[in-house]
Amino acid sequence: PPLDSIFGGHEPSVNKAKADNRFLDLFVDWIGLYGNTILFYIGARPFIFTADPDMLKVVSTDLSRFHKVSSLPNRSLFGHKIIGTDSILSGGGLRWQSRESV
């Protein structure tokens, strides 16, 4: 999405969405406009948000491809773990297919 501010990135939009209790709606809107994977900035820090099931599976099952970060984001979604061996995204075959179709 286009930056709100050269210094703040998308922070004004994100903060307004949080204040209006529309945080998830903001990402739904952005996905509708810009595709399943979006890059946005809070200040100068980049973040990637994706709704692509294949990318989520890669990220959640092959963490060796990614650099270690100093802080981890919230690792739950609607009360379910999203990474790890017993997460909603882990596994393969029928287990993955059944979860992907939900």
Side-chain angles (χ1 to χ4, degrees):
L3 294 174
D4 297 329
S5 160
I6 191 81
F7 298 109
H10 299 97
E11 191 166 9
S13 292
V14 170
N15 287 342
K16 182 172 182 352
K18 282 182 185 178
D20 296 344
N21 202 23
R22 291 194 70 249
F23 186 71
L24 290 177
D25 294 333
L26 174 66
F27 291 98
V28 170
D29 293 345
W30 280 351
I31 286 171
L33 291 169
Y34 305 110
N36 282 341
T37 303
I38 55 173
L39 172 68
F40 68 100
Y41 289 85
I42 302 297
R45 181 178 242 175
F47 292 87
I48 296 174
F49 181 88
T50 188
D52 178 352
D54 293 328
M55 185 177 285
L56 288 170
K57 184 176 179 182
V58 169
V59 169
S60 68
T61 58
D62 190 5
L63 296 177
S64 65
R65 292 181 170 190
F66 304 96
H67 296 287
K68 186 174 180 177
V69 294
S70 59
S71 63
L72 292 173
N74 183 353
R75 290 182 276 167
S76 65
L77 178 66
F78 304 116
H80 299 282
K81 285 179 60 178
I82 58 173
I83 63 174
T85 57
D86 60 341
S87 74
I88 61 173
L89 297 174
S90 67
L94 296 176
R95 185 174 174 199
W96 174 249
Q97 285 177 332
S98 68
R99 289 181 178 181
E100 187 178 37
S101 65
V102 171

